Amino acid sequence: MAEFTTGEAVALELPLARIPSRAGAFLLDLVLQLFLAFSLVYVGILVLSAADADSAWFAVLGVVTIVTVLVGYPVCSETVSRGRSLGKAAFGLRVVRADAGPIDFRHALTRGLAGAMVDFWMLGAFGAVAVITSLCSAQGRRVGDVLAGTVVVHTRQAMPRPALAAAPPWLSGWATQLDPAAVSDELAAAMRQYLSRLGTLTPPAQHHLGTALVEAVCRAMRCAPPTGYPPYHVLGAVLARRQQLSRH
């Protein structure tokens, strides 16, 4: 766990992603990148051969393929999904800012360039630099994370109870659009009880009761529940928004 201070000066603890899970996500992304590279080269060769292009165009194809695969893939995927490449999504990881907020294109570009040049490929000795810097960092940050001001966290591990007072960073944008005035005090009490008892419930009970509460809460607020997140993340975000509005 690591403590973050959000933009609203709220202390928030999040589970850090360490080398094993990050390595698994990296290897899955690497497989996808190799497939992307093969596809680009195959299509490019067909097009250039049909056009009877000279060798200079094949050199351009190689450069474009390398840049697209090593930089374009991580930058585009992390920008579009706000911190999740396909490999990170499969392993339940997400890149967040140092204040636990969602990243944008600037952060993704810095991480992508640093990954291609320092952490993994050009100077990274096939990931040795990334591993060494992660081991030396209390928050498991590689060079790209340090330069971009980001941290990689788990999104599937249970958040500790004190963190439930603040919305998970990956749901903060969704939570700011909510108007939880329609959530009754009884329903809010049921949400708090569920979150406080989360550690004592079996996984099936957590999912069944949490899903029922999420559906009831979103039905009351007349909004669609966010997909791909465990119920306790959604309920924690709603409660945090409710508490925030009650203080104003």
Side-chain angles (χ1 to χ4, degrees), residues 45-67:
I45 289 177
L46 290 180
V47 172
L48 293 178
S49 298
D52 196 22
D54 58 29
S55 59
W57 283 104
F58 286 92
V60 171
L61 173 63
V63 172
V64 171
T65 299
I66 292 174
V67 173

Side-chain angles (χ1 to χ4, degrees), residues 4 6-7 14 82 95-104 106-107 141 148-151 153 169:
F4 299 80
T6 68
L14 296 174
R82 307 301 291 275
V95 183
V96 298
R97 299 195 311 257
D99 64 354
I103 67 170
D104 56 24
R106 175 175 58 86
H107 302 96
R141 304 167 81 186
T150 57
V151 181
V153 299

Side-chain angles (χ1 to χ4, degrees), residues 100-148:
I103 67 170
D104 56 24
F105 173 74
R106 175 175 58 86
H107 302 96
L109 179 61
T110 302
R111 295 184 82 255
L113 291 174
M117 294 188 293
V118 181
D119 283 315
F120 300 111
W121 305 121
M122 293 181 64
L123 302 176
F126 299 100
V129 171
V131 171
I132 293 172
T133 54
S134 295
L135 289 173
C136 295
S137 170
Q139 293 185 326
R141 304 167 81 186
R142 62 176 175 87
V143 175
D145 290 314
V146 174
L147 295 177

Side-chain angles (χ1 to χ4, degrees), residues 188-203:
M191 294 163 60
R192 294 191 187 93
Q193 184 180 19
Y194 167 78
L195 292 173
S196 65
R197 294 177 52 210
L198 191 64
T200 66
L201 299 174
T202 63

